[in-house]
Amino acid sequence: MSNTARTSYIIVWLFFLATAISAHAGEWIRINQLGYLPEATKVAVFMSNDEHAVSSFTIVDIFTNEVVFQSTSSEIRTTGTLGQMKSTYRLNFSRFTRNGAYYIRVGRCISPHFPINSCVYNGTADYVLKYMRQQRCGFNPFLKDSCHTKDAYIIYHPTKTGQYLNVRGGWHDASDCLQYTTTSANAIYQMMFAYQQNPGAFGDYFQANGLPGANGIPDIIDEIYWGMDWLSRMNPAKGELYNQIADDRDHIGMKLPKDDPADYGYGPNNGRPVYFVTGKPQQRGKYMNATMGAASIAGKFASDFALGSQILKPFYARFAETIGKKASDAYQQGIEQPGNCQTASVLSPYIYEENNWVDDMELGAMELYRQTGDEKYLQQAIEYGRREPVTPWMGADSARHYQWYPFMNMGHYQVAASANSRIKTEFIRNLKTGIERTFEKAQDSPFLYGIPSIWCSNNLTTSMLTQCILYRQLTGDRQFEEMEGSLRDWLFGCNPWGTSMIVELPLSGIYPHQPHSCLIFLNVGNTTGGLVDGPVYSTIFNSLKGVNIIKGINGGGANNYEEYQPGNMVYHDNMHDYSTNEPTMDGTASLTFPLSAYQEEGRQQTKTQEDKNIYSDEGIIRADPTQKKICLVFTAADKADGAETIISALKKNHIHGGFFFTGEFYQKFPNIVKRLIADGHYVGSHSFGHLLYAPWSNRDSLLVTHEEFDKDMLKSYALMRTFGINKEDAPFFIPPYEYYNSTIASWAKQLGLQIINFTPGTGSNADYTTPDLKKYKSSKQLYRQIMNYEKNDPHGLNGHFLMIHFGTDDARTDKFYKMMPQLIKDLQKKGYQFVSVKEALQIR
């Protein structure tokens, strides 16, 4: 072993030694586990259950173990005590912008490692749609079954009570089977707004019914249409609005939706009630709710129908026209019946206690103005907006459940973005005042967190994050950027508990394993992509009915986080805690804007084109399918018999390929590696030890631990550095056996690496097969498969990573790589251009 290689391996060993002591007793560093955009604010939080004076911190490169950042005194701020923590500090490293993968060190305590790059938010807005599909009522693509197909029977209508109304579809509200216009309409609007602002952040991987398979329509549009179709059914005629399906008689134990045993008087699982909007108080068990009108619901219908008529027009033109015609009627009903409309319950005291309504009418008026251009709607929006300049929860210590909803007044933003300069200034001031109030309340928090810990506090967090982003984008004023960052990072683990609040995002980090859900209870799966409620005040938690938290670590991965509880609020990753760990549909939908906004900002920071690559399990399996470009990629573990043929063919045709080698190959064939580098090819990793990451029979499970994966990859890159290949030169790698899953891809992203893989369909990767195998393919067969695929696929070989093994077993004498010159020639005749890995992925 050379001295250089030996030094590299020592660096890997030192890293894992540091990792082993990262959980230094009683000290923790909380970070955004997803990572950071280079130009974003970046603040970690150190906390210790002992008194600890922090005078400096450093940032260390994971791959080289070199200190790359040394703090100054101004970048450290002591923030006092927090619960059992006697010392807390904010560690600001915003001025560090270098791409890479790192950890923070404070004394002997180190943080989890994290990436900094422009792609850390890529795909995250699409990711949370997994939960939206999981929540579908009617046909559920996650369960591949249907539920509540007999909904619903009208109640509270003066003439139609008892009649059947087809209101199938929509989403279940949370972990029960209830459905509310209040939350569903807001979810639809949030997704429409996200798509309108950042369309390039959304891909197409699912059909309209939610099952896998592209349909030519962005998945978020499919989800919007699914919800909007239901919303349109909830307004079957002019003056006829409906507010909810079912009620808390649903709460009779954990069950799959298709097995719902609830009986509302029509027989078990035989139809549910749908509540007509009367504008008057409705039953609440022995109580009545505090409904005073219909405007809060009517305004939501109006804004959704008006904006939806524009968003859906390119995809569902007739439906868009239909809902567009309903918008003004719904809005007029709000004018005629001013006041709030609350939901109803029968058995328990918990409802959505929405008190405000002028915000809904403001947004409805604004979207009608944008739809029609009629100035009267703009003036009415301004008038409504002036009646509630600031959403009342902002800066407050508490509020009742959904008392001020939606939690962010999107109407203020739309007025500010559309009106003249005087009105714009006024409504920007409204947005700013809400932010200022929250910022003032955040000053005593080590996490700069000024959100009241009421039910669904994470929804409020997301709403204030959205308001901060929109204010910054409207004005260019960055004075609240640190709080914006703290709200963003709170959701991904920079909080007292060190957990992401979004299920399985990122998979490489700590996230809720035991959300309050029938899927967990029945061992069906997790609520992937769902935003859980978040912390509540201890006083709220202690007053709740039906919560049975067993102290300590529970089975199935539950964690009560007793050591980290701040005292004034609590969060438990425990299935039995419906107050802090239940995912919500509307909160999840509200994530689509901030996540897509950060993806777009990352793209703008690097001035790259929209990501048009095709992903599978978070790995890129095809570049832009609209471009007639092919990238030739080659993998090898320990064989190089094709080297001369392949290198010569590429050189003759002026093609730069991508080569991915194991540690054994680098050590066995150093001269070939050097030759490829000299010729300008992309030379990267195929892992060090050629590990099989998952069983062939169960791709979703694992054969390696996170630590084993990291150690192997760091060892691979340490060896590559001896050839002058730095991680920045080769951030893409093809996994061993070309086999991986989403967990492996997430672990790679935490290291700042991106998996790519061959494009399926051509079968070229079978060029390793030998005649004794049943799946053996001769070179002529492989060639015909490639050309047939090119002929029959709608996009041909556009964007393909066409993979050929760099060497194969001696038992295969029919070497496919010998056909490369002819293959290149024939595909060039068809107009294909052969490009490098980075050119295919549009990386400059």
PDB file of all heavy atoms in Angstrom, residues 77 87 102 173 227 230 235 312 340 342 349 369 382 440 443 459 540-541 543 554 620 679 764 785:
ATOM      1  N   ARG A  77     -23.739  32.288  20.007  1.00  0.00           N
ATOM      2  CA  ARG A  77     -24.580  33.061  20.917  1.00  0.00           C
ATOM      3  C   ARG A  77     -25.145  32.148  21.991  1.00  0.00           C
ATOM      4  O   ARG A  77     -25.782  31.140  21.683  1.00  0.00           O
ATOM      5  CB  ARG A  77     -25.719  33.745  20.158  1.00  0.00           C
ATOM      6  CG  ARG A  77     -26.639  34.595  21.046  1.00  0.00           C
ATOM      7  CD  ARG A  77     -27.482  35.531  20.213  1.00  0.00           C
ATOM      8  NE  ARG A  77     -28.479  34.850  19.425  1.00  0.00           N
ATOM      9  CZ  ARG A  77     -29.723  34.554  19.852  1.00  0.00           C
ATOM     10  NH1 ARG A  77     -30.086  34.877  21.092  1.00  0.00           N
ATOM     11  NH2 ARG A  77     -30.571  33.955  19.060  1.00  0.00           N
ATOM     12  N   SER A  87     -27.183  24.342  29.391  1.00  0.00           N
ATOM     13  CA  SER A  87     -26.461  25.233  28.480  1.00  0.00           C
ATOM     14  C   SER A  87     -26.970  25.018  27.062  1.00  0.00           C
ATOM     15  O   SER A  87     -27.138  23.873  26.625  1.00  0.00           O
ATOM     16  CB  SER A  87     -24.955  24.940  28.508  1.00  0.00           C
ATOM     17  OG  SER A  87     -24.434  24.997  29.806  1.00  0.00           O
ATOM     18  N   TYR A 102     -20.239  17.292   5.772  1.00  0.00           N
ATOM     19  CA  TYR A 102     -19.495  17.784   6.923  1.00  0.00           C
ATOM     20  C   TYR A 102     -20.114  17.320   8.242  1.00  0.00           C
ATOM     21  O   TYR A 102     -21.216  16.762   8.274  1.00  0.00           O
ATOM     22  CB  TYR A 102     -19.472  19.318   6.917  1.00  0.00           C
ATOM     23  CG  TYR A 102     -19.033  19.915   5.616  1.00  0.00           C
ATOM     24  CD1 TYR A 102     -19.959  20.392   4.683  1.00  0.00           C
ATOM     25  CD2 TYR A 102     -17.679  19.995   5.292  1.00  0.00           C
ATOM     26  CE1 TYR A 102     -19.552  20.935   3.475  1.00  0.00           C
ATOM     27  CE2 TYR A 102     -17.262  20.542   4.087  1.00  0.00           C
ATOM     28  CZ  TYR A 102     -18.203  21.004   3.172  1.00  0.00           C
ATOM     29  OH  TYR A 102     -17.792  21.526   1.988  1.00  0.00           O
ATOM     30  N   ASP A 173     -58.824  13.134   6.617  1.00  0.00           N
ATOM     31  CA  ASP A 173     -58.232  14.335   7.187  1.00  0.00           C
ATOM     32  C   ASP A 173     -56.910  14.072   7.909  1.00  0.00           C
ATOM     33  O   ASP A 173     -55.957  14.833   7.782  1.00  0.00           O
ATOM     34  CB  ASP A 173     -59.224  14.977   8.153  1.00  0.00           C
ATOM     35  CG  ASP A 173     -58.819  16.373   8.560  1.00  0.00           C
ATOM     36  OD1 ASP A 173     -58.642  17.219   7.667  1.00  0.00           O
ATOM     37  OD2 ASP A 173     -58.673  16.615   9.762  1.00  0.00           O
ATOM     38  N   GLY A 227     -58.509  16.050  -5.383  1.00  0.00           N
ATOM     39  CA  GLY A 227     -59.174  16.823  -4.342  1.00  0.00           C
ATOM     40  C   GLY A 227     -60.241  17.746  -4.898  1.00  0.00           C
ATOM     41  O   GLY A 227     -61.321  17.900  -4.311  1.00  0.00           O
ATOM     42  N   TRP A 230     -63.562  16.107  -5.739  1.00  0.00           N
ATOM     43  CA  TRP A 230     -64.358  15.931  -4.519  1.00  0.00           C
ATOM     44  C   TRP A 230     -64.985  17.251  -4.082  1.00  0.00           C
ATOM     45  O   TRP A 230     -66.163  17.309  -3.709  1.00  0.00           O
ATOM     46  CB  TRP A 230     -63.476  15.361  -3.411  1.00  0.00           C
ATOM     47  CG  TRP A 230     -64.151  15.234  -2.084  1.00  0.00           C
ATOM     48  CD1 TRP A 230     -64.951  14.207  -1.667  1.00  0.00           C
ATOM     49  CD2 TRP A 230     -64.084  16.160  -0.988  1.00  0.00           C
ATOM     50  NE1 TRP A 230     -65.391  14.426  -0.371  1.00  0.00           N
ATOM     51  CE2 TRP A 230     -64.878  15.623   0.062  1.00  0.00           C
ATOM     52  CE3 TRP A 230     -63.432  17.372  -0.793  1.00  0.00           C
ATOM     53  CZ2 TRP A 230     -65.027  16.277   1.291  1.00  0.00           C
ATOM     54  CZ3 TRP A 230     -63.595  18.025   0.423  1.00  0.00           C
ATOM     55  CH2 TRP A 230     -64.380  17.479   1.448  1.00  0.00           C
ATOM     56  N   ASN A 235     -70.207  20.800  -3.747  1.00  0.00           N
ATOM     57  CA  ASN A 235     -70.977  21.981  -4.164  1.00  0.00           C
ATOM     58  C   ASN A 235     -71.762  21.597  -5.423  1.00  0.00           C
ATOM     59  O   ASN A 235     -71.478  22.062  -6.522  1.00  0.00           O
ATOM     60  CB  ASN A 235     -70.017  23.145  -4.443  1.00  0.00           C
ATOM     61  CG  ASN A 235     -70.704  24.410  -4.966  1.00  0.00           C
ATOM     62  OD1 ASN A 235     -70.081  25.191  -5.673  1.00  0.00           O
ATOM     63  ND2 ASN A 235     -71.966  24.615  -4.638  1.00  0.00           N
ATOM     64  N   LEU A 312     -55.834  23.917 -13.729  1.00  0.00           N
ATOM     65  CA  LEU A 312     -56.216  22.636 -14.329  1.00  0.00           C
ATOM     66  C   LEU A 312     -56.561  22.740 -15.811  1.00  0.00           C
ATOM     67  O   LEU A 312     -56.705  21.711 -16.485  1.00  0.00           O
ATOM     68  CB  LEU A 312     -57.413  22.046 -13.569  1.00  0.00           C
ATOM     69  CG  LEU A 312     -57.141  21.627 -12.117  1.00  0.00           C
ATOM     70  CD1 LEU A 312     -58.426  21.151 -11.455  1.00  0.00           C
ATOM     71  CD2 LEU A 312     -56.074  20.548 -12.044  1.00  0.00           C
ATOM     72  N   ASN A 340     -68.287  32.827  10.360  1.00  0.00           N
ATOM     73  CA  ASN A 340     -67.496  31.598  10.345  1.00  0.00           C
ATOM     74  C   ASN A 340     -68.378  30.363  10.331  1.00  0.00           C
ATOM     75  O   ASN A 340     -69.515  30.379  10.800  1.00  0.00           O
ATOM     76  CB  ASN A 340     -66.587  31.549  11.575  1.00  0.00           C
ATOM     77  CG  ASN A 340     -67.389  31.499  12.865  1.00  0.00           C
ATOM     78  OD1 ASN A 340     -68.288  32.314  13.073  1.00  0.00           O
ATOM     79  ND2 ASN A 340     -67.071  30.556  13.739  1.00  0.00           N
ATOM     80  N   GLN A 342     -68.007  26.354  11.515  1.00  0.00           N
ATOM     81  CA  GLN A 342     -67.193  25.373  12.218  1.00  0.00           C
ATOM     82  C   GLN A 342     -67.655  23.956  11.895  1.00  0.00           C
ATOM     83  O   GLN A 342     -68.762  23.737  11.401  1.00  0.00           O
ATOM     84  CB  GLN A 342     -67.262  25.613  13.731  1.00  0.00           C
ATOM     85  CG  GLN A 342     -66.690  26.958  14.157  1.00  0.00           C
ATOM     86  CD  GLN A 342     -66.666  27.132  15.670  1.00  0.00           C
ATOM     87  OE1 GLN A 342     -67.259  26.350  16.412  1.00  0.00           O
ATOM     88  NE2 GLN A 342     -65.973  28.161  16.130  1.00  0.00           N
ATOM     89  N   PRO A 349     -65.312  16.755  22.619  1.00  0.00           N
ATOM     90  CA  PRO A 349     -65.293  18.220  22.536  1.00  0.00           C
ATOM     91  C   PRO A 349     -64.367  18.768  21.448  1.00  0.00           C
ATOM     92  O   PRO A 349     -64.211  19.976  21.350  1.00  0.00           O
ATOM     93  CB  PRO A 349     -64.775  18.628  23.925  1.00  0.00           C
ATOM     94  CG  PRO A 349     -63.893  17.500  24.335  1.00  0.00           C
ATOM     95  CD  PRO A 349     -64.541  16.255  23.787  1.00  0.00           C
ATOM     96  N   TYR A 369     -60.597  38.069  -8.898  1.00  0.00           N
ATOM     97  CA  TYR A 369     -59.993  39.184  -9.632  1.00  0.00           C
ATOM     98  C   TYR A 369     -58.969  38.672 -10.639  1.00  0.00           C
ATOM     99  O   TYR A 369     -58.948  39.095 -11.801  1.00  0.00           O
ATOM    100  CB  TYR A 369     -59.334  40.156  -8.645  1.00  0.00           C
ATOM    101  CG  TYR A 369     -58.447  41.175  -9.304  1.00  0.00           C
ATOM    102  CD1 TYR A 369     -58.983  42.141 -10.159  1.00  0.00           C
ATOM    103  CD2 TYR A 369     -57.071  41.172  -9.080  1.00  0.00           C
ATOM    104  CE1 TYR A 369     -58.157  43.075 -10.778  1.00  0.00           C
ATOM    105  CE2 TYR A 369     -56.242  42.096  -9.684  1.00  0.00           C
ATOM    106  CZ  TYR A 369     -56.793  43.052 -10.546  1.00  0.00           C
ATOM    107  OH  TYR A 369     -55.979  43.968 -11.158  1.00  0.00           O
ATOM    108  N   ILE A 382     -59.308  43.981  -0.814  1.00  0.00           N
ATOM    109  CA  ILE A 382     -58.618  44.968   0.027  1.00  0.00           C
ATOM    110  C   ILE A 382     -59.451  45.277   1.273  1.00  0.00           C
ATOM    111  O   ILE A 382     -58.927  45.348   2.389  1.00  0.00           O
ATOM    112  CB  ILE A 382     -58.336  46.242  -0.786  1.00  0.00           C
ATOM    113  CG1 ILE A 382     -57.306  45.940  -1.891  1.00  0.00           C
ATOM    114  CG2 ILE A 382     -57.834  47.359   0.127  1.00  0.00           C
ATOM    115  CD1 ILE A 382     -57.159  47.064  -2.906  1.00  0.00           C
ATOM    116  N   GLU A 440     -40.356  38.381  17.670  1.00  0.00           N
ATOM    117  CA  GLU A 440     -40.200  38.873  19.047  1.00  0.00           C
ATOM    118  C   GLU A 440     -40.432  37.747  20.048  1.00  0.00           C
ATOM    119  O   GLU A 440     -39.710  37.626  21.044  1.00  0.00           O
ATOM    120  CB  GLU A 440     -41.179  40.015  19.298  1.00  0.00           C
ATOM    121  CG  GLU A 440     -40.840  41.293  18.541  1.00  0.00           C
ATOM    122  CD  GLU A 440     -41.954  42.322  18.592  1.00  0.00           C
ATOM    123  OE1 GLU A 440     -42.960  42.062  19.301  1.00  0.00           O
ATOM    124  OE2 GLU A 440     -41.849  43.365  17.924  1.00  0.00           O
ATOM    125  N   GLN A 443     -37.346  35.202  20.573  1.00  0.00           N
ATOM    126  CA  GLN A 443     -36.038  35.641  21.063  1.00  0.00           C
ATOM    127  C   GLN A 443     -35.528  34.836  22.253  1.00  0.00           C
ATOM    128  O   GLN A 443     -34.318  34.693  22.434  1.00  0.00           O
ATOM    129  CB  GLN A 443     -36.089  37.128  21.432  1.00  0.00           C
ATOM    130  CG  GLN A 443     -36.287  38.039  20.234  1.00  0.00           C
ATOM    131  CD  GLN A 443     -35.284  37.777  19.117  1.00  0.00           C
ATOM    132  OE1 GLN A 443     -34.075  37.911  19.317  1.00  0.00           O
ATOM    133  NE2 GLN A 443     -35.772  37.387  17.952  1.00  0.00           N
ATOM    134  N   ASN A 459     -48.067  22.714  11.678  1.00  0.00           N
ATOM    135  CA  ASN A 459     -48.794  23.404  10.609  1.00  0.00           C
ATOM    136  C   ASN A 459     -48.570  24.906  10.703  1.00  0.00           C
ATOM    137  O   ASN A 459     -48.390  25.589   9.691  1.00  0.00           O
ATOM    138  CB  ASN A 459     -50.294  23.095  10.700  1.00  0.00           C
ATOM    139  CG  ASN A 459     -50.612  21.643  10.430  1.00  0.00           C
ATOM    140  OD1 ASN A 459     -49.749  20.779  10.515  1.00  0.00           O
ATOM    141  ND2 ASN A 459     -51.870  21.357  10.109  1.00  0.00           N
ATOM    142  N   ILE A 540     -51.571  21.352  27.749  1.00  0.00           N
ATOM    143  CA  ILE A 540     -52.538  20.781  26.799  1.00  0.00           C
ATOM    144  C   ILE A 540     -52.452  19.260  26.831  1.00  0.00           C
ATOM    145  O   ILE A 540     -53.471  18.562  26.931  1.00  0.00           O
ATOM    146  CB  ILE A 540     -52.282  21.303  25.373  1.00  0.00           C
ATOM    147  CG1 ILE A 540     -52.606  22.795  25.274  1.00  0.00           C
ATOM    148  CG2 ILE A 540     -53.095  20.508  24.351  1.00  0.00           C
ATOM    149  CD1 ILE A 540     -52.321  23.397  23.917  1.00  0.00           C
ATOM    150  N   PHE A 541     -51.225  18.754  26.759  1.00  0.00           N
ATOM    151  CA  PHE A 541     -51.055  17.302  26.720  1.00  0.00           C
ATOM    152  C   PHE A 541     -51.643  16.640  27.963  1.00  0.00           C
ATOM    153  O   PHE A 541     -52.324  15.615  27.880  1.00  0.00           O
ATOM    154  CB  PHE A 541     -49.575  16.945  26.575  1.00  0.00           C
ATOM    155  CG  PHE A 541     -49.319  15.465  26.568  1.00  0.00           C
ATOM    156  CD1 PHE A 541     -49.562  14.723  25.435  1.00  0.00           C
ATOM    157  CD2 PHE A 541     -48.847  14.824  27.699  1.00  0.00           C
ATOM    158  CE1 PHE A 541     -49.348  13.355  25.412  1.00  0.00           C
ATOM    159  CE2 PHE A 541     -48.624  13.456  27.699  1.00  0.00           C
ATOM    160  CZ  PHE A 541     -48.876  12.720  26.552  1.00  0.00           C
ATOM    161  N   SER A 543     -54.028  17.500  29.720  1.00  0.00           N
ATOM    162  CA  SER A 543     -55.482  17.626  29.839  1.00  0.00           C
ATOM    163  C   SER A 543     -56.242  16.784  28.828  1.00  0.00           C
ATOM    164  O   SER A 543     -57.468  16.718  28.873  1.00  0.00           O
ATOM    165  CB  SER A 543     -55.888  19.092  29.651  1.00  0.00           C
ATOM    166  OG  SER A 543     -55.676  19.496  28.300  1.00  0.00           O
ATOM    167  N   ASN A 554     -40.513   2.572  23.744  1.00  0.00           N
ATOM    168  CA  ASN A 554     -41.528   1.552  23.538  1.00  0.00           C
ATOM    169  C   ASN A 554     -41.144   0.657  22.369  1.00  0.00           C
ATOM    170  O   ASN A 554     -40.223   0.951  21.614  1.00  0.00           O
ATOM    171  CB  ASN A 554     -42.881   2.211  23.267  1.00  0.00           C
ATOM    172  CG  ASN A 554     -43.298   3.107  24.410  1.00  0.00           C
ATOM    173  OD1 ASN A 554     -43.174   2.729  25.564  1.00  0.00           O
ATOM    174  ND2 ASN A 554     -43.766   4.305  24.089  1.00  0.00           N
ATOM    175  N   ILE A 620     -31.133   8.504  -9.973  1.00  0.00           N
ATOM    176  CA  ILE A 620     -31.415   8.944 -11.344  1.00  0.00           C
ATOM    177  C   ILE A 620     -31.208   7.756 -12.289  1.00  0.00           C
ATOM    178  O   ILE A 620     -30.128   7.164 -12.333  1.00  0.00           O
ATOM    179  CB  ILE A 620     -30.489  10.097 -11.754  1.00  0.00           C
ATOM    180  CG1 ILE A 620     -30.704  11.308 -10.837  1.00  0.00           C
ATOM    181  CG2 ILE A 620     -30.735  10.501 -13.209  1.00  0.00           C
ATOM    182  CD1 ILE A 620     -29.706  12.436 -11.072  1.00  0.00           C
ATOM    183  N   ASP A 679      -7.799  10.734 -20.631  1.00  0.00           N
ATOM    184  CA  ASP A 679      -8.639  10.907 -21.819  1.00  0.00           C
ATOM    185  C   ASP A 679      -9.874  11.758 -21.544  1.00  0.00           C
ATOM    186  O   ASP A 679     -10.679  11.989 -22.449  1.00  0.00           O
ATOM    187  CB  ASP A 679      -9.073   9.540 -22.357  1.00  0.00           C
ATOM    188  CG  ASP A 679      -7.948   8.808 -23.102  1.00  0.00           C
ATOM    189  OD1 ASP A 679      -6.889   9.423 -23.321  1.00  0.00           O
ATOM    190  OD2 ASP A 679      -8.142   7.627 -23.454  1.00  0.00           O
ATOM    191  N   SER A 764     -29.231  -4.079 -21.771  1.00  0.00           N
ATOM    192  CA  SER A 764     -27.786  -4.120 -22.064  1.00  0.00           C
ATOM    193  C   SER A 764     -26.972  -4.568 -20.860  1.00  0.00           C
ATOM    194  O   SER A 764     -25.864  -5.101 -21.018  1.00  0.00           O
ATOM    195  CB  SER A 764     -27.299  -2.749 -22.537  1.00  0.00           C
ATOM    196  OG  SER A 764     -27.344  -1.802 -21.471  1.00  0.00           O
ATOM    197  N   GLN A 785     -32.300  -6.106 -28.829  1.00  0.00           N
ATOM    198  CA  GLN A 785     -33.135  -5.529 -27.773  1.00  0.00           C
ATOM    199  C   GLN A 785     -32.982  -4.018 -27.714  1.00  0.00           C
ATOM    200  O   GLN A 785     -33.961  -3.280 -27.550  1.00  0.00           O
ATOM    201  CB  GLN A 785     -32.770  -6.144 -26.414  1.00  0.00           C
ATOM    202  CG  GLN A 785     -33.281  -7.547 -26.221  1.00  0.00           C
ATOM    203  CD  GLN A 785     -32.906  -8.127 -24.868  1.00  0.00           C
ATOM    204  OE1 GLN A 785     -33.136  -9.300 -24.612  1.00  0.00           O
ATOM    205  NE2 GLN A 785     -32.318  -7.316 -23.993  1.00  0.00           N
TER     206      GLN A 785
END
